[in-house]
């Protein structure tokens, strides 16, 4: 097990580790467990329904510029996030850390697990010489906006997306 960090103050302690392929069903369940995720992720746990997620997992896991994190308490998956390190020419060739798909199991929300995960991600970005940590969050997630602002993030840019489906 590739342990990244331990949240000792939690009861039980929470371990952040690199996700493994066997985590995929639980990761998908976390992603699907909110008003936005339930509309875009599958609730099915059969092999065929999970295959696109497994394919994506293998691609993420094979590229050291990406890190899929699993937060576990007593072997139970309780959170996840993806951290990607993006090289760029702007800002004197600065690398950016992009945080995506942050989820904490509904039973553990409000216990500072999300804060622990994000603070760890910020430290990891610093270790990897990233002067910028960025993330996107849906406009409807007002609680998430307050959470990220409390951690020092500022809404400095307007994001845009084009769905090709």
């Amino acid at each position: 097990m590739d342990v990244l960090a331990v949240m000792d103050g939690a009861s039980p302690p929470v371990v952040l580790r690199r996700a493994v392929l066997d985590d995929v069903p639980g990761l998908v369940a976390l992603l699907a467990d909110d008003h936005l995720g339930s509309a875009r992720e599958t609730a099915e746990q059969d092999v065929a329904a999970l295959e696109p997620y497994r394919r994506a997992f293998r691609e993420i896991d094979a590229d050291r510029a990406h890190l899929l994190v699993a937060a576990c308490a007593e072997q139970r998956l309780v959170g996840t996030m993806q951290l990607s390190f993006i090289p760029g020419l702007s800002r004197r060739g600065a690398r950016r850390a992009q945080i995506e798909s942050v989820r904490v199991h509904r039973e553990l929300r409000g216990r500072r697990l999300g804060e622990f995960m994000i603070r760890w991600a910020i430290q990891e970005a610093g270790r990897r010489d990233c002067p910028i940590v960025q993330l996107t969050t849906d406009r409807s997630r007002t609680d998430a906006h307050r959470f990220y602002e409390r951690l020092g993030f500022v809404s400095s840019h307007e994001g845009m997306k084009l769905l090709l489906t």
Side-chain angles (χ1 to χ4, degrees):
M1 175 172 54
D2 193 1
V3 174
L4 305 169
V6 179
M7 184 178 177
D8 289 321
S11 180
V14 176
V15 173
L16 299 186
R17 62 169 172 77
R18 181 179 290 277
V20 296
L21 188 60
D22 287 344
D23 292 325
V24 169
L27 297 172
V28 172
L30 283 169
L31 294 173
D33 188 29
D34 70 15
H35 71 284
L36 294 173
S38 64
R40 60 184 176 210
E41 310 300 345
T42 185
E44 298 177 40
Q45 293 285 305
D46 62 74
V47 173
L50 292 174
E51 185 49 36
Y53 296 98
R54 286 191 177 95
R55 181 175 16 87
F57 173 86
R58 288 189 289 271
E59 186 174 349
I60 293 164
D61 195 52
D63 187 339
R64 292 297 151 194
H66 304 285
L67 178 60
L68 191 56
V69 176
C72 299
E74 295 182 329
Q75 309 300 322
R76 181 175 160 230
L77 190 60
V78 295
T80 188
M81 69 179 161
Q82 181 175 333
L83 193 53
S84 296
F85 304 95
I86 307 165
L89 290 177
S90 67
R91 296 182 184 247
R92 305 179 133 213
R95 180 182 295 126
R96 296 167 188 251
Q98 175 81 22
I99 302 171
E100 288 291 330
S101 302
V102 178
R103 297 292 191 285
V104 171
H105 193 284
R106 66 178 54 241
E107 293 175 6
L108 275 80
R109 291 181 192 148
R111 297 187 190 176
R112 305 192 85 102
L113 174 55
E115 179 179 345
F116 175 73
M117 291 168 56
I118 297 301
R119 289 195 187 282
W120 177 84
I122 292 167
Q123 289 176 344
E124 183 64 16
R127 282 190 290 274
R128 295 193 190 207
D129 297 320
C130 297
I132 300 169
V133 179
Q134 61 190 28
L135 54 84
T136 59
T137 181
D138 192 275
R139 287 183 179 165
S140 68
R141 296 184 190 272
T142 55
D143 289 343
H145 299 172
R146 283 190 298 275
F147 167 74
Y148 291 123
E149 287 168 358
R150 185 171 55 79
L151 295 176
F153 288 85
V154 295
S155 181
S156 62
H157 290 69
E158 183 75 20
M160 301 177 87
K161 294 183 181 188
L162 174 64
L163 298 178
L164 300 178
T165 56

